Amino acid sequence: MTTLLDGRIALKHGAGGRAMRTLIQDVLLAGLGSGDWIGADQMDDGAAIRVGDAWLVITTDSHVVQPAFFPGGDIGRLAVCGTVNDLAMMGATEPLGLTCAVVLEEGFARESLQRVHESMRLACLESGTTIVTGDTKVMGRGEVDGIVINTTGVALTHTLVRDAGLHAGDRIIVTGTIGDHGLAVMATRHQLGIEGTLRSDVAPLNALVRTAMAAAPGAITAMKDPTRGGLASALHEMADKGRVGVVLEENALPVSDAVRGAAELLGIDSLHVANEGKAVIGVRADAADAVLRAIRAHPLGREAAIVGTCLAERPGLLVLDTGFGRRLIAEPEGEPLPRIC
Ligand code: MG
């Protein structure tokens, strides 16, 4: 693998695709072992440890987005939503609390930190949780870029949902338009002049997921949030772990005009671009309409759609049906845009 041939970490190793997965498997999981829990080796959205008759779900995430403030949100909102969403993707929709560790660069504006804190506070209110402990470090000028935030979250659930649970016949729901976060950040970073029309979708999905799970108990077979690497990366991982093929219907994919335009301008496929307020949900075919209706009734799910179907054939592969024919979508090496979350 190119991962360690040159002995150095590249940006792609943090970009959510094949390069990152290989690095984690080869280096970071070495010797950790596995047991009667859902651990790091499963590479799900979080870990799950048995506590009595429930599962304690725990997840952690570091946020390095550049710029720290972007249309639709900032690094504070992102840090809270990223962690709340990873818990929700495991079926744990009521976060008990979050931790927050902040690393600041000497010279970072106090007023900016206050804005970030206020965003975190509001996102916690929105998702029904709070920050219960934290840590603050300051590094010298040039030793870190502005601000880095790590959040960890814990929640209990009786209904654990994995990203590995897809079965042949399941339908795939996407809870809204794709590519919004990545392209909004990119357009701002490079001052493309199209920022006005692009907004990040960063939002806490726990209430939406709770609604979806309640609409058809037991019918949701798999969930994942399509963050770095976008929908293509998330579906590749789900298809691979579930040993199913996934056929994605291009015409059914919700994409905003602004994202379509920006993606074309930049020559990037929105299928590969990060989302921060969307979920990919696998659901038994007989319950797909009921779950879709419930999601659409939630303000964050109005543009949800059934976008694909799982097959027994071609396990691990993602196929795009364009309406004119079918082609394979390769697993992305990584998110095309670095420092996106
Ligand atoms: Mg995730």
Side-chain angles (χ1 to χ4, degrees), residues 100-104 113 134-138:
C100 170
V102 186
V103 183
L104 294 162
L113 184 61
D135 175 56
T136 312
K137 296 281 182 338
V138 178

Side-chain angles (χ1 to χ4, degrees), residues 301-319:
R302 280 192 206 111
E303 291 171 277
I306 296 175
V307 298
T309 307
C310 302
L311 309 174
E313 299 86 52
R314 303 190 163 206
L317 296 184
L318 177 58
V319 178

Side-chain angles (χ1 to χ4, degrees), residues 45 82 85-86 89 224-225 227:
D45 295 286
N85 292 348
D86 275 336
M89 295 306 114
K224 198 160 194 67
D225 52 344
T227 53

Side-chain angles (χ1 to χ4, degrees), residues 230-306:
L231 184 60
S233 223
L235 279 175
H236 256 288
E237 204 175 327
M238 294 169 88
D240 185 41
K241 290 176 174 174
R243 301 318 297 156
V244 293
V246 171
V247 177
L248 199 55
E249 290 158 46
E250 189 169 36
N251 296 330
L253 281 175
V255 184
S256 75
D257 290 342
V259 162
R260 207 181 291 278
E264 224 160 80
L265 189 73
L266 294 165
I268 292 173
D269 189 337
S270 53
L271 269 178
H272 294 167
V273 176
N275 309 274
E276 291 292 342
K278 300 292 150 53
V280 186
I281 301 180
V283 59
R284 275 198 335 253
D286 61 350
D289 287 332
V291 172
L292 181 66
R293 256 197 312 278
I295 291 171
R296 280 191 174 159
H298 189 279
L300 292 174
R302 280 192 206 111
E303 291 171 277
I306 296 175

